[in-house]
Amino acid sequence: MNAPVNSGGNSGMRGLRGGKQRYSILSLARNALSHHENWQRAWRSPEPKPAYDVVIVGAGGHGLATAYYLASRHGIRNIAVIDKGWLGGGNTGRNTTIIRSNYLWDESAAIYEHSMKLWEGLSQELNFNTMFSQRGVLTLAHSEHERREMTRRVEAIRLNGIDSDVLNPAQIKQIVPIIDTDPRLRYPVMGGFIQRRGGTARHDAVAWGYARAADDMGVDIIQNCAVTGFLIDNGVVKGVETEKGAIRAGKVACVVAGHAGVVADMAGFRLPITSRPLQALVSEPIKPILDVVIMSNAVHMYVSQSDKGEMVLGAGADSYNGYTQRGSLTVPEGMLAAAVELFPVFSRLQMLRSWGGIVDTCPDASPVISKTPVSNLYFNCGWGTGGFKATPGSGHVFADLIARDAPNKIAVPFTLDRFSGGYLIDEHGAAGVAH
Ligand code: FAD
Ligand code: PYC
């Protein structure tokens, strides 16, 4: 396994393998004395078998979670998860890790809150510290109109039983002492709202935790093996073509964020999806100065402080379609100019590194969890700029769909039928960043 690449990036890290001795004092002492060499791998690197019950394409968080829930909830264990790169090397390892469930529409509230509840027990369930930190997500309003719209949105969110509170500038200043609340700013802080149960998690740990748990149940994780086509017979999928040869499968599930359109094309149909770069960056690490996540839709900026002390900042999506995992400099440049106005202390920070990921977005900024025109072929995609927070919930309901060939009630609104039936779930407003 290669190292994931972003803010939490922990080059060459290998976890301890599952099993009861995982946390024993003896094994800790042995590993300390071995200068952290010769640790057992956290999952195997098997060669692909000729056939599986289910092949999952894409070993990001969503694909690995799907495998985990298929194995743990449905008893389907003859599964391969195949990735063209290393697991967690896509958007799972590139995102800014914001988790919240404060969406506008009932359908979205149901799936993101389902996910939030799974997050709340995930470290225990996987026996792997996902570093889920419910430090609160505070969204700023910079105009009177935005403040009123936010107040209305909070009412809608609360009607779904999800926690959210409107804040005035003085309350915000109390929570975030480093923010400038001078009303003469280009983006004055006029108010905001907070979801206190929102927060962050360690993105790599989520992928690693699901991978280890799935591997423990016999799931084969096959890295560095691109899927190049599908075996389709009479409208029914029979397997996949890969760089390591054909692999037959009873069912195939694609979870290839950013490349959903490309992979659907291999199967002979089109998805209502566009793919664009989304960028983020981190500063040098500093002592703790921010213990809440801040988002600003108007500025297209969001920021949190990682456990290592880096300020993790993100911007809106680039305005052009593309597949290169970087983006244009103007986007972070514009975002940083506004961020420095809001947080003058940031002007003293050095930027450590920046990166991009390819996000796939539907016209209504809501995801697809669906059967497709090809029988036994399923797609989970379109999470756009906001799918990290959905990882457990998405994997959980997608596993249901694959196992039963019918969506569970949370996933029903997210089938492809909504684009022909006109039942769009417009979440552009709650996306948090520009789509
Ligand atoms: P991925 O992790 O991208 O996994 C897809 C996998 O498919 C990849 O590993 C890829 O290699 C593989 N693949 C593709 N094509 C093939 C093929 N032909 N054969 C085999 N494998 C293939 N969301 C939030 O909720 N909060 C945030 O704060 C947030 N911030 C973000 C910031 C940035 C800069 C970016 C880029 C995204 C952000 N997101 C955020 C969105 C979030 O990262 C994604 O929605 C989510 O991680 C998608 O997870 P996934 O498992 O579906 O995709
Ligand atoms: O969906 O909360 C979100 C988000 C924050 C940054 C990128 N996406």
Side-chain angles (χ1 to χ4, degrees):
M1 170 198 145
N2 292 315
V5 273
N6 75 354
S7 61
N10 212 342
S11 284
M13 173 159 177
R14 290 163 287 171
L16 283 171
R17 181 146 174 75
K20 289 217 169 55
Q21 47 73 281
R22 195 182 296 154
Y23 295 124
S24 79
I25 303 285
L26 266 182
S27 74
L28 280 177
R30 194 173 51 242
N31 285 306
L33 293 173
S34 74
H35 303 286
H36 298 287
E37 286 168 2
N38 306 319
W39 288 31
Q40 277 183 278
R41 297 251 167 195
W43 45 84
R44 298 160 297 129
S45 284
E47 283 305 307
K49 295 192 283 197
Y52 291 90
D53 293 338
V54 179
V55 162
I56 295 171
V57 187
H62 289 233
L64 293 163
T66 304
Y68 170 77
Y69 292 116
L70 272 171
S72 65
R73 304 295 199 270
H74 299 279
I76 300 172
R77 297 184 171 197
N78 185 23
I79 302 173
V81 186
I82 304 178
D83 203 286
K84 67 177 180 175
W86 61 89
L87 73 84
N91 286 350
T92 296
R94 294 166 184 273
N95 73 87
T96 47
T97 79
I98 297 173
I99 295 169
R100 58 193 173 86
S101 58
N102 52 6
Y103 279 70
L104 179 64
W105 297 104
D106 297 350
E107 296 85 347
S108 321
I111 192 157
Y112 290 105
E113 182 58 19
H114 177 53
S115 206
M116 180 70 86
K117 294 210 168 91
L118 289 169
W119 277 114
E120 286 172 339
L122 196 60
S123 293
Q124 287 78 5
E125 165 142 17
L126 299 178
N127 192 17
F128 200 108
N129 188 0
T130 63
M131 297 168 73
F132 180 47
S133 159
Q134 291 179 292
R135 61 186 65 181
V137 173
L138 197 171
T139 308
L140 301 173
H142 300 289
S143 68
E144 185 55 25
H145 173 76
E146 208 184 358
R147 197 189 61 74
R148 287 190 184 177
E149 186 281 328
M150 236 172 229
T151 309
R152 188 230 165 246
R153 178 140 49 106
V154 166
E155 303 294 350
I157 292 166
R158 290 167 71 133
L159 281 174
N160 275 315
I162 295 168
D163 65 304
S164 275
D165 293 301
V166 173
L167 300 175
N168 63 34
Q171 290 169 311
I172 292 172
K173 183 78 183 166
Q174 210 169 17
I175 297 172
V176 192
I178 59 167
I179 202 165
D180 190 346
T181 46
D182 186 333
R184 290 166 303 177
L185 283 190
R186 180 164 54 131
Y187 296 104
V189 176
M190 308 272 296
F193 78 104
I194 189 165
Q195 181 180 21
R196 293 179 207 278
R197 287 165 61 240
T200 56
R202 171 75 192 267
H203 43 30
D204 302 321
V206 177
W208 298 337
Y210 276 122
R212 187 179 72 175
D215 176 273
D216 275 351
M217 289 184 286
V219 172
D220 283 355
I221 300 168
I222 297 157
Q223 302 179 73
N224 300 309
C225 176
V227 166
T228 53
F230 292 91
L231 307 171
I232 297 174
D233 187 9
N234 255 335
V236 182
V237 79
K238 298 291 179 186
V240 290
E241 303 274 11
T242 79
E243 287 177 335
K244 295 189 176 178
I247 303 173
R248 298 192 72 79
K251 296 179 176 184
V252 177
C254 297
V255 209
V256 286
H259 290 80
V262 177
V263 175
D265 192 48
M266 294 176 193
F269 58 88
R270 295 193 64 183
L271 291 171
I273 286 243
T274 52
S275 297
R276 281 191 283 159
L278 179 70
Q279 302 182 64
L281 55 96
V282 292
S283 74
E284 60 187 318
I286 54 170
K287 288 192 174 161
I289 57 166
L290 183 66
D291 61 0
V292 63
V293 180
I294 302 283
M295 301 186 68
S296 162
N297 297 2
V299 174
H300 294 321
M301 179 231 45
Y302 38 96
V303 57
S304 65
Q305 186 165 22
S306 78
D307 293 311
K308 283 196 289 186
E310 302 158 330
M311 305 310 295
V312 182
L313 286 128
D318 278 57
S319 53
Y320 58 86
N321 292 354
Y323 291 101
T324 50
Q325 288 178 320
R326 46 185 169 189
S328 46
L329 194 57
T330 48
V331 175
E333 206 177 19
M335 178 274 286
L336 280 174
V340 163
E341 276 187 50
L342 281 172
F343 302 98
V345 66
F346 288 1
S347 65
R348 302 179 60 191
L349 295 177
Q350 314 259 10
M351 186 171 105
L352 209 59
R353 58 187 183 277
S354 73
W355 64 89
I358 306 305
V359 295
D360 53 342
T361 306
C362 292
D364 57 356
S366 285
V368 166
I369 305 168
S370 188
K371 295 164 85 160
T372 69
V374 179
S375 296
N376 294 346
L377 176 63
Y378 309 88
F379 262 71
N380 179 332
C381 57
W383 294 94
T385 60
F388 175 69
K389 68 176 80 64
T391 304
S394 155
H396 188 262
V397 299
F398 197 39
D400 250 27
L401 170 64
I402 298 161
R404 301 190 293 121
D405 197 37
N408 84 9
K409 87 172 186 293
I410 291 178
V412 166
F414 299 101
T415 60
L416 278 167
D417 298 345
R418 79 174 188 271
F419 299 104
S420 47
Y423 305 112
L424 301 186
I425 307 160
D426 185 350
E427 284 292 357
H428 283 280
V433 286
H435 282 291

